[in-house]
């Protein structure tokens, strides 16, 4: 049910006239009361449980070398506009002048780390991409899952997932020959097969590893791992070979030149190798020299390290045992973060201070409930629980009218509804235990 339907359902249950439109535009005091109380009821339901599943969002922050403090995320619902935001690029608000970093980019929303100011319903613009979107709602995070934060080597290669909705040509360039000097005459193409893929029919593509400020966080001397999965696109083939190169613009195979050959043509296979870049912005090249098609499902590039769960420590522990070292800004004390804490200002603090920007911090958080304002707005909670909202609103309406017997009945209906919601969404085990 949307805002208008919820309003009219309450009015019918109270034996009051319904309206045809514009809940927020009503002037009669009782109508204004009911409209406001619908949002109050939603907030009441949200207060019963921090972790309702419909408020859940995941975040993935790119850590920055030398920066240990990160603000809690905000979620911006978006529509319209043009272009594509780049992960980890800065955005600015056209009206508020607020600045943030895009940490997660989805079709209908962005997860943003605020840097300065407060975003509003406005047009936002990507500083590097030039992409624009219209912000509908600005939703604050209300609960961060500090106990399960994961530090993971960051994939520094954009556009390597070849998702169905991704145009590979936004990130990769077709070449007439590979770095070994072999001419490849085929034209790479995008395919919806295999969860999206790039088809190399005697073709070569390469991508330069740039991030949002025009360079990567890659470091010469560090070891990086490439993972690539590919399958044959030719049913008559017996093997399929993909060549992978890495190097600078003038010598694109100086850091890596390897061949992967698979005979598992139906399922394909993921292959991996490591290389040490000689420049901060190397090129990654994929090449198929055979006339038979090769479908590249994905390719990733990240530090050659394992992900790990960060230990949570209290602010007192951090202040006593880590803060002085971190605040010294001594690069010799920088390292791979092992712990996370929540500051007194509700900020995420990792320690030790990151020595490289090659990590992502992955965590879960839960949003504040979205306020309803337009007639067509719908609550975040599933429609099967909307009767719990109306029960709560009727409780407040009967209380306003001093009909305490009717209010008590509505309160009981509301509390039973919340119990049902908790049973179905929070208390149910997702496993079977052997006894």
């Amino acid at each position: 049910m949307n805002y208008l339907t919820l309003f009219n359902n309450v009015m019918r249950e109270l034996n009051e006239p319904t309206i045809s439109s514009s809940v927020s535009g009503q002037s009669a005091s009782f109508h204004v009361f009911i409209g406001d109380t619908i949002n109050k009821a939603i907030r009441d339901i949200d207060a019963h449980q921090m972790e309702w599943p419909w408020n859940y969002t995941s975040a993935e922050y790119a850590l920055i070398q030398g920066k240990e403090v990160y603000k809690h995320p905000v979620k911006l619902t978006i529509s319209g506009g043009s272009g594509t935001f780049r992960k980890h690029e800065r955005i600015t608000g056209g009206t508020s002048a607020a600045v943030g970093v895009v940490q997660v980019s989805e079709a209908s929303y962005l997860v943003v780390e605020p840097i300065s100011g407060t975003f509003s319903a406005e047009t936002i613009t990507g500083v590097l991409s030039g992409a624009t979107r219209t912000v509908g709602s600005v939703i604050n995070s209300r609960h961060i899952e500090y106990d399960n934060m994961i530090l993971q080597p960051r994939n520094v290669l954009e556009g390597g997932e070849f998702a169905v909705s991704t145009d590979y040509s936004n990130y990769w360039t077709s070449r007439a020959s590979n770095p070994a000097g072999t001419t490849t005459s085929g034209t790479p193409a995008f395919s919806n097969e295999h969860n999206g893929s790039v088809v190399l029919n005697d073709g070569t593509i390469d991508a330069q590893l740039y991030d949002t400020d025009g360079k990567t966080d890659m470091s010469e001397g560090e070891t990086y791992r490439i993972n690539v999965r590919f399958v044959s696109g030719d049913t008559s083939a017996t093997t399929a070979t993909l060549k992978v190169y890495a190097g600078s613009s003038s010598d694109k195979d100086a850091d890596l030149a390897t061949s992967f050959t698979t005979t598992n043509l139906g399922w394909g296979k993921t292959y991996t190798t490591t290389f040490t870049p000689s420049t901060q912005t190397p090129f990654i090249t994929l090449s198929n020299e055979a006339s038979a098609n090769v479908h590249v499902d994905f390719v990733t590039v990240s530090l050659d390290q394992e992900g790990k769960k960060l230990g949570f420590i209290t602010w007192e522990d951090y202040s006593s045992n880590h803060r002085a070292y971190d605040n010294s800004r001594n690069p010799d004390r920088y390292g791979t973060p092992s712990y996370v804490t929540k500051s007194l200002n509700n900020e995420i603090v990792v320690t030790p201070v990151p020595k490289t920007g090659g990590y992502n911090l992955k965590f879960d958080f839960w949003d504040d409930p979205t306020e309803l304002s337009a007639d067509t707005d719908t609550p975040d909670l599933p429609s099967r629980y909307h009767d719990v909202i109306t029960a709560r609103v009727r409780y407040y309406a009967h209380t306003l009218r001093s009909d305490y017997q009717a209010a008590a009945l509505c309160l009981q209906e509301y509390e039973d509804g919340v119990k049902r919601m908790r049973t179905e969404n929070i208390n149910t085990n997702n496993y079977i235990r052997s006894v």
Side-chain angles (χ1 to χ4, degrees):
M1 290 186 282
N2 60 30
Y3 193 20
L4 178 61
T5 305
L6 285 168
F7 181 93
N8 283 331
N9 278 6
V10 172
M11 297 300 283
R12 277 190 291 269
E13 290 168 354
L14 294 173
N15 197 26
E16 293 284 349
T18 60
I19 62 174
S20 59
S21 64
S22 191
V23 175
S24 60
Q26 297 299 307
S27 57
S29 59
F30 187 68
H31 287 176
V32 173
F33 171 81
I34 296 297
D36 291 345
T37 306
I38 288 174
N39 280 313
K40 183 178 181 181
I42 294 172
R43 291 193 297 270
D44 287 348
I45 293 171
D46 200 62
H48 279 275
Q49 177 66 45
M50 280 188 161
E51 299 175 358
W52 292 121
W54 45 86
N55 292 334
Y56 167 81
T57 310
S58 62
E60 189 175 274
Y61 273 25
L63 298 189
I64 297 174
Q65 182 184 29
K67 179 182 177 181
E68 74 274 24
V69 180
Y70 301 83
K71 293 185 178 180
H72 282 189
V74 295
K75 186 175 176 180
L76 308 180
T77 62
I78 55 174
S79 62
S82 62
T84 303
F85 290 113
R86 297 182 62 175
K87 285 184 69 174
H88 314 311
E89 80 166 320
R90 291 198 173 205
I91 58 171
T92 58
T95 302
S96 66
V99 177
V101 176
V102 176
Q103 302 291 7
V104 176
S105 179
E106 298 290 346
S108 60
Y109 69 87
L110 302 176
V111 175
V112 174
E113 179 198 358
I115 301 300
S116 63
T118 302
F119 289 99
S120 61
E122 60 187 334
T123 298
I124 54 174
T125 303
V127 172
L128 230 101
S129 66
T132 62
R133 291 292 185 277
T134 300
V135 176
S137 300
V138 180
I139 308 169
N140 293 315
S141 53
R142 68 188 300 261
H143 175 57
I144 306 292
E145 185 61 81
Y146 275 89
D147 288 332
N148 291 295
M149 289 193 168
I150 304 297
L151 187 74
Q152 187 175 61
R154 178 159 66 95
N155 176 23
V156 295
L157 177 61
E158 286 192 76
E161 292 83 3
F162 302 127
V164 173
S165 60
T166 302
D167 183 353
Y168 88 92
S169 63
N170 290 334
Y171 304 95
W172 297 79
T173 302
S174 177
R175 300 294 183 186
S177 62
N178 64 32
T182 302
T183 299
T184 53
S185 58
T187 301
F190 183 77
S191 168
N192 286 336
E193 297 181 43
H194 308 292
N195 193 34
S197 60
V198 164
V199 182
L200 300 181
N201 179 12
D202 184 17
T204 297
I205 56 175
D206 68 23
Q208 192 171 13
L209 298 185
Y210 278 126
D211 70 3
T212 56
D213 58 5
K215 63 181 181 180
T216 68
D217 289 309
M218 298 184 76
S219 301
E220 302 94 327
E222 294 281 354
T223 301
Y224 288 81
R225 180 166 294 279
I226 292 182
N227 294 313
V228 58
R229 180 182 183 272
F230 65 97
V231 299
S232 172
D234 187 347
T235 56
S236 63
T238 57
T239 62
T241 299
L242 180 70
K243 295 191 174 184
V244 182
Y245 303 90
S248 66
S249 59
S250 60
D251 195 2
K252 293 183 181 178
D253 61 349
D255 300 334
L256 176 66
T258 190
S259 295
F260 296 125
T261 300
T262 183
T263 56
N264 190 355
L265 303 182
W267 289 99
K269 192 174 180 181
T270 300
Y271 290 86
T272 185
T273 189
T274 60
F275 75 102
T276 302
S278 56
T279 176
Q280 289 185 0
T281 56
F283 284 81
I284 301 298
T285 305
L286 308 177
S287 181
N288 170 32
E289 297 178 4
S291 59
N293 287 351
V294 168
H295 291 251
V296 182
D297 189 25
F298 67 81
V299 54
T300 64
V301 180
S302 59
L303 284 169
D304 185 27
Q305 296 185 22
E306 296 293 329
K308 65 178 182 179
K309 179 180 179 295
L310 296 185
F312 176 77
I313 57 176
T314 65
W315 181 251
E316 290 75 13
D317 187 354
Y318 172 77
S319 298
S320 299
N321 301 309
H322 304 273
R323 192 175 185 183
Y325 297 106
D326 290 348
N327 289 348
S328 70
R329 291 289 182 234
N330 182 350
D332 292 336
R333 298 191 183 276
Y334 292 178
T336 301
S338 296
Y339 301 99
V340 63
T341 188
K342 178 181 179 181
S343 76
L344 299 179
N345 195 32
N346 282 341
E347 294 172 321
I348 300 168
V349 182
V350 296
T351 183
V353 178
K355 70 176 180 179
T356 174
Y359 296 100
N360 279 345
L361 183 66
K362 301 182 72 172
F363 59 93
D364 302 321
F365 69 95
W366 284 261
D367 309 325
D368 275 338
T370 304
E371 293 281 308
L372 307 183
S373 57
D375 286 349
T376 55
D377 287 348
T378 57
D380 295 325
L381 69 163
S383 58
R384 66 182 183 274
Y385 302 129
H386 288 184
D387 60 316
V388 184
I389 299 174
T390 59
R392 188 62 165 174
V393 177
R394 285 186 285 113
Y395 160 76
Y396 283 120
H398 287 307
T399 302
L400 176 70
R401 292 173 166 178
S402 300
D403 187 348
Y404 299 116
Q405 183 177 4
L409 293 173
C410 293
L411 179 60
Q412 186 62 53
E413 181 183 346
Y414 166 74
E415 291 177 344
D416 290 343
V418 171
K419 289 178 183 177
R420 172 166 57 94
M421 292 168 63
R422 290 181 61 86
T423 299
E424 294 178 2
N425 295 280
I426 304 298
N427 299 335
T428 302
N429 292 330
N430 294 320
Y431 54 85
I432 298 175
R433 177 175 293 162
S434 176
V435 294

